[in-house]
Every structure is written in structure tokens, then in C-alpha cells.
Amino acid sequence: MLAVPEAHAKLLVMGMKPESGSPEAFGEFLKNDAVKWRRVIQAAGLKLDTGAR
């Protein structure tokens, strides 16, 4: 999909940074991103609101 210029351009317009890589590299990216956001969420003291009352 990234080889299709129109698709690549649309992702850029949406503020995304399209990259290609292996499934293993993507898994590592997701793992690192989860660690980063966990720290942000904990530092901000955010809690999940499940809507259950």
C-alpha cells in the first residue's frame, strides 16, 4: 500500500508518517509505544472511565 503514491500522500495529509518494515520491527514499535504512553498516563494520574455505575 505504501508503494501507491495516492495512499502515501493521504497518510501524510492525515499527519501520519508512513514507513515500511518487518512485522518484528512493528511489534517492537508497539511495545515501546505502550511503555511511553503508560508513563504519560501514570504521570498525569489518568484513570479509565468504563461508564459502569
Side-chain angles (χ1 to χ4, degrees):
M1 179 170 154
L2 293 178
V4 178
E6 294 83 9
H8 191 269
K10 285 183 181 183
L11 292 172
L12 289 173
V13 168
M14 292 189 292
M16 297 181 183
K17 182 182 172 189
E19 296 182 12
S20 61
S22 69
E24 294 79 15
F26 185 58
E28 188 67 21
F29 167 79
L30 290 177
K31 185 177 96 177
N32 293 335
D33 206 46
V35 169
K36 174 183 76 175
W37 287 109
R38 182 180 307 115
R39 289 180 185 147
V40 170
I41 290 166
Q42 289 173 343
L46 300 175
K47 302 291 179 193
L48 179 64
D49 181 3
T50 61
R53 305 217 188 264

